[in-house]
Amino acid sequence: MNPEALSQFSLVEIFFLRLTANTIVTALFVVPPFLLLFKIGRYTFTHRRLHKSLPGRKQLWMEIRYSVSTLIIWSFLATAAFYLIQNGWITVRATFSTAVIPGILAEWIGMIIIHDIYFYGIHRLMHHRWFFRRVHLVHHRSHHPTPFTSHSFHPLEALLEAAFFPIALLSHDFHILAMMLFILTSKGINVLGHAGHDFFPRWFAEHWLFKYLNTTIYHDMHHEKGRLNMGLYTNIWDRLFGTMYSEYPEVFRERKEGSREEVKA
Ligand SMILES: [Zn+2]
Ligand SMILES: [Zn+2]
């Protein structure tokens, strides 16, 4: 990325540009699924819903308030990253040809793998008694998650989560498309985990390979029971470190069977 192209903007302008862009992208990820699943299609998707009662206004407004604070903090961090780019601390590649596609895909997958480990570590820290009471409890106030829960964090947690990004950029000269793919993937997985409705096929949690990928029910159990199932993209680290609900495959199957019964009825 050419630092001169950015130098025409002041840091304050970059902050507001980032905040506007972050808000638009996040709204596109969060608002349509919320309207579809909880408002317009609330009767269409009843059989997919994981909780009988719908979230109340109080929960929704709390989630929106904390989401705004999260977006402000993430925009500050993005502005700091721009500052580091302007001053040559971070280099972002932007030239494109078919020859760079394999490299972009490798960077994208590599970022997801490292972020999976990073998120697991931060989440375990957040469940330490001290952090849970003072910080992570904000996210766990949503017992019945909605797409808005995906960005509802205490400011300190929002900061720690997004710190992954400047750390990654300082460690390697990423291609801008790999970064964008990574942001879109992590946002999508985050919203999917908090959708409050499960759309995964019945065999998913017991498939020899796909069972390592998380489902909406997987993260929903974390909100409902409040202790295990910490992973974001995969449950590999939960399995390795013994922080996965052993009854997850049965719970997944039962909920799927339950939703089928509801459809038949
Ligand atoms: Zn948690
Ligand atoms: Zn959550």
Side-chain angles (χ1 to χ4, degrees):
M1 188 176 284
N2 182 7
E4 282 169 21
L6 299 168
S7 60
Q8 58 181 304
F9 298 108
S10 71
L11 284 179
V12 175
E13 285 171 329
I14 288 172
F15 169 75
F16 282 106
L17 282 172
R18 285 306 318 167
L19 184 60
T20 307
N22 271 349
T23 306
I24 292 169
V25 173
T26 304
L28 286 174
F29 269 89
V30 169
V31 178
F34 175 78
L35 291 177
L36 190 67
L37 299 172
F38 291 90
K39 295 288 176 191
I40 304 159
R42 57 192 283 188
Y43 300 112
T44 314
F45 297 106
T46 316
H47 61 293
R48 300 282 186 183
R49 194 175 300 147
L50 300 176
H51 300 280
K52 284 206 161 33
S53 60
L54 287 166
R57 269 171 190 271
K58 205 176 155 193
Q59 179 187 322
L60 287 174
W61 279 114
M62 178 201 71
E63 290 175 348
I64 290 168
R65 272 200 320 275
Y66 278 109
S67 297
V68 170
S69 116
T70 297
L71 289 177
I72 291 171
I73 287 161
W74 288 1
S75 302
F76 266 120
L77 273 179
T79 309
F82 269 113
Y83 178 79
L84 293 175
I85 291 170
Q86 274 182 326
N87 288 279
W89 287 76
I90 290 174
T91 307
V92 178
R93 295 170 6 251
T95 49
F96 186 77
S97 69
T98 48
V100 298
I101 293 175
I104 291 172
L105 294 177
E107 285 180 357
W108 170 47
I109 293 166
M111 259 181 145
I112 288 174
I113 293 169
I114 305 289
H115 188 227
D116 199 39
I117 301 168
Y118 180 87
F119 180 90
Y120 179 79
I122 294 290
H123 201 178
R124 284 289 300 268
L125 177 73
M126 289 294 122
H127 277 264
H128 180 279
R129 187 189 297 233
W130 192 93
F131 280 102
F132 189 83
R133 282 188 193 157
R134 291 166 177 82
V135 180
H136 194 47
L137 186 61
V138 166
H139 187 65
H140 277 269
R141 276 198 212 144
S142 305
H143 295 290
H144 296 182
T146 75
F148 285 105
T149 316
S150 61
H151 287 70
S152 173
F153 299 111
H154 183 284
L156 180 60
E157 185 172 357
L159 186 71
L160 285 172
E161 280 192 16
F164 171 79
F165 214 59
I167 293 170
L169 293 180
L170 283 166
S171 320
H172 177 76
D173 297 347
F174 283 94
H175 195 283
I176 192 160
L177 289 178
M179 284 163 50
M180 286 161 80
L181 274 174
F182 166 72
I183 291 170
L184 296 179
T185 311
S186 64
K187 265 198 191 295
I189 294 292
N190 188 11
V191 172
L192 187 67
H194 296 98
H197 298 68
D198 193 280
F199 291 93
F200 286 86
R202 273 189 308 130
W203 45 263
F204 202 87
E206 282 162 305
H207 185 273
W208 67 273
L209 181 60
F210 292 128
K211 69 179 181 185
Y212 295 106
L213 297 178
N214 291 347
T215 61
T216 310
I217 289 175
Y218 190 84
H219 192 66
D220 198 83
M221 283 177 78
H222 178 71
H223 277 267
E224 197 174 17
K225 295 168 180 268
R227 227 163 38 85
L228 306 178
N229 289 12
M230 306 271 190
L232 176 60
Y233 309 89
T234 75
N235 48 57
I236 292 169
W237 314 107
D238 279 321
R239 287 174 192 269
L240 269 176
F241 294 105
T243 53
M244 177 177 158
Y245 286 110
S246 56
E247 68 271 30
Y248 162 64
E250 288 84 61
V251 170
F252 186 88
R253 199 181 325 117
E254 278 166 21
R255 286 194 163 180
K256 286 293 177 187
E257 292 295 333
S259 65
R260 276 205 317 170
E261 294 303 314
E262 223 168 290
V263 171
K264 276 186 209 162

